[in-house]
Amino acid sequence: MERFLSDETRPVESELRQTFNILISMFKNFHGFPLVETYHELKKNKNFGDRKAFIRFLKLLFTLVVTLFLWNVQSDFFHVEGLTVIEQRTIAIFAFATLMWVLEAIPAWTTSVVVVVLLLLTTSNSSLWLFTKGISPEVLGSQTNYKDLMHCFADPIIMLFIGGFILAIAATKTKLDVMLARVMLKPFGIQSKYVLLGFLIVTAVFSMFLSNTATAAMMLTFLAPVLKVLPSDGKGKIGLALAIPVAANIGGMGTPIGTPPNAIALKYLNDPEGLNMNIGFGEWMSFMIPFTVVVIFIAWFVLLRLFPFKQKTIHLDISGEAQKDWRSIVVYITFAITVLLWICDKYTGVNSNVVAMIPVAVFCAIGVIDRRDLEEISWSVLWMVAGGFALGVALNQTGIASHVIRSIPFDTWSPVAMLIGSGLICYALANFISHTATAALLVPILCVAGTNMSELLSPLGGVSTLLIGVAIGSSLGMVLPISTPPNALAHATGLIQQKNMAKVGLIMGVIGLVIGYTMLILLGSNGYIG
């Protein structure tokens, strides 16, 4: 290429190349970059291999056939009395979303965007004319408000997540995460079993405020030199490698921003036009933090029993120093104030969604967060969540959720069967599809079902037990490498066999569900939740 460059353009080309190399270098300073790169390479190979492409085509074809069948079949097929055209279309779109999220024919966030557009064009009060022409209002049925569907992309919960992402990016740029990891791991000493506990606790704490994927990548990077010095024939390194995804998945349950299923459940619990339980950020933490602590210690016990250490001591060496310029100090102070305001939102009167905007404003104003950093926000996660919200809006506004729930004889079901059944379904789905997709599918339906049988559920904690149970069940789905990105990252290290991950995932899933539902029933029935 250099032959075609004139003497005048060579300096420009050289400068551009140098700038590009600097940007690549800056990006590769992120802790866990090699693992993230490996993970995305695996995803790329999965999505674009020739054989995989054909399989994806078959999945897409199957989904479209099922969707079109449900769209056009006679309404009597559904055995729902008084089913309208809009309701039938919503059922078809719901089936489309379910199959696409389960089969992963296209990325999950893409499915969410497609679902929103389909709802807008075919079920809203701003639909294309050809979808309403010649159909009487009675037959057509209730249409969704297009503004409500579009507002899902700017829901207050979305703003809460943006605040969380901004905090995570700023912590990485200022090396706050490195400093915290070193300080938090130091008290656990050098005994192998306590080092394992340290990685579990620190990973869980980070995942409460950072994304589970970023936390897992960072902690696996810190763990890499430790794994190299452990005996190759020892089981301890397997336990250490598994500790990271286990703790990341469990820790995310601790705060509303820890993982999307929490936010989805909280949205429906706090909806002013729905359950209106007004559960705050601090209130959520007041019962979920003790739960995560108990489950983390159980995970420690399980990992020690299944994968005992051959080497009894481990020396940690986490390199890197936190920055001490004035911008970094502002980041540290803002981080602390934001977390404090989140915890005390019931006392300050400032909603946690509003608090999330404080770091966004401060970090952008002082230049810690720039345009390129905003591009690194996990917009795909936000769009995924928004699509789930939009699906919930459609299910409720069209009346299909109430229609379907009324057609199911929940009054003949015991409340215990309702709770156990929903928990098991949620947990099973979460092991095979996105945790966010699982919550997005189940929470809207269970919200209506729980409201209709609230009196029966009251002795067991009410609707809050049902919906928070979905958040817990979703996060506990970690049996397979494909269950969560942290699982995939840990599996990419080559230290973990799938049978080991499945064994630990099943044990922690069963224990977590039992403890989680027991806690929710005790707190809910005594009026401590909602």
Side-chain angles (χ1 to χ4, degrees), residues 325-385:
D325 58 280
W326 70 270
R327 286 188 176 86
S328 299
I329 293 172
V330 171
V331 170
Y332 307 153
I333 295 172
T334 305
F335 195 106
I337 291 174
T338 302
V339 173
L340 185 63
L341 287 174
W342 270 337
I343 295 172
C344 302
D345 58 348
K346 285 280 188 178
Y347 304 101
T348 63
V350 183
N351 187 279
S352 56
N353 305 320
V354 176
V355 173
M357 292 292 97
I358 294 175
V360 177
V362 173
F363 298 162
C364 289
I366 66 174
V368 171
I369 298 295
D370 56 26
R371 177 173 58 83
R372 292 187 180 87
D373 295 319
L374 293 178
E375 292 171 357
E376 289 190 22
I377 289 176
S378 298
W379 295 105
S380 59
V381 173
L382 298 179
W383 283 38
M384 173 75 193
V385 173

Side-chain angles (χ1 to χ4, degrees), residues 184-203 219 222-223 226-227 230 239-240 243-244 300 304 309 311-318:
M184 293 170 72
L185 283 169
K186 188 175 182 179
F188 294 95
I190 62 173
Q191 288 191 48
S192 299
K193 62 181 180 180
Y194 294 121
V195 171
L196 172 64
L197 178 61
F199 271 100
L200 281 166
I201 292 177
V202 173
T203 303
M219 296 304 293
F222 295 152
L223 189 61
V226 176
L227 297 175
L230 290 176
L240 274 170
I244 304 304
W300 180 45
L304 282 177
F309 285 95
Q311 180 175 313
K312 300 305 178 184
T313 60
I314 297 174
H315 294 273
L316 294 176
D317 182 20
I318 299 177

Side-chain angles (χ1 to χ4, degrees), residues 421-433:
S422 62
L424 291 176
I425 291 171
C426 173
Y427 175 69
L429 277 176
N431 280 300
F432 294 96
I433 69 172

Side-chain angles (χ1 to χ4, degrees), residues 106-226:
I106 59 176
W109 68 269
T110 308
T111 297
S112 291
V113 175
V114 172
V115 164
V116 174
V117 173
L118 286 174
L119 291 171
L120 285 168
L121 296 178
T122 65
T123 71
S124 76
N125 54 4
S126 186
S127 301
L128 286 173
W129 64 272
L130 59 90
F131 290 108
T132 58
K133 182 182 179 182
I135 306 175
S136 66
E138 294 77 15
V139 175
L140 185 65
S142 299
Q143 294 175 291
T144 54
N145 188 323
Y146 80 93
K147 291 183 179 179
D148 291 338
L149 290 174
M150 300 187 80
H151 284 168
C152 291
F153 287 105
D155 189 278
I157 292 294
I158 300 294
M159 299 301 109
L160 182 66
F161 263 93
I162 288 177
F165 288 141
I166 291 295
L167 276 178
I169 293 170
T172 300
K173 289 187 71 173
T174 59
K175 301 295 191 297
L176 175 61
D177 53 357
V178 176
M179 180 187 72
L180 289 175
R182 183 167 52 248
V183 170
M184 293 170 72
L185 283 169
K186 188 175 182 179
F188 294 95
I190 62 173
Q191 288 191 48
S192 299
K193 62 181 180 180
Y194 294 121
V195 171
L196 172 64
L197 178 61
F199 271 100
L200 281 166
I201 292 177
V202 173
T203 303
V205 171
F206 275 133
S207 67
M208 293 177 188
F209 300 98
L210 280 66
S211 83
N212 293 354
T213 307
T215 297
M218 177 180 71
M219 296 304 293
L220 282 167
T221 302
F222 295 152
L223 189 61
V226 176

Side-chain angles (χ1 to χ4, degrees), residues 492-506:
T493 63
L495 295 171
I496 305 170
Q497 294 182 17
Q498 189 163 314
K499 64 178 182 181
N500 294 329
M501 185 172 284
K503 184 188 298 183
V504 173
L506 282 172

Side-chain angles (χ1 to χ4, degrees), residues 30-50:
F30 166 67
H31 300 288
F33 173 79
L35 285 170
V36 174
E37 193 174 39
T38 301
Y39 171 64
H40 284 295
E41 187 63 30
L42 290 172
K43 293 286 285 186
K44 180 180 178 182
N45 292 338
K46 174 185 175 183
N47 290 333
F48 296 105
D50 292 339

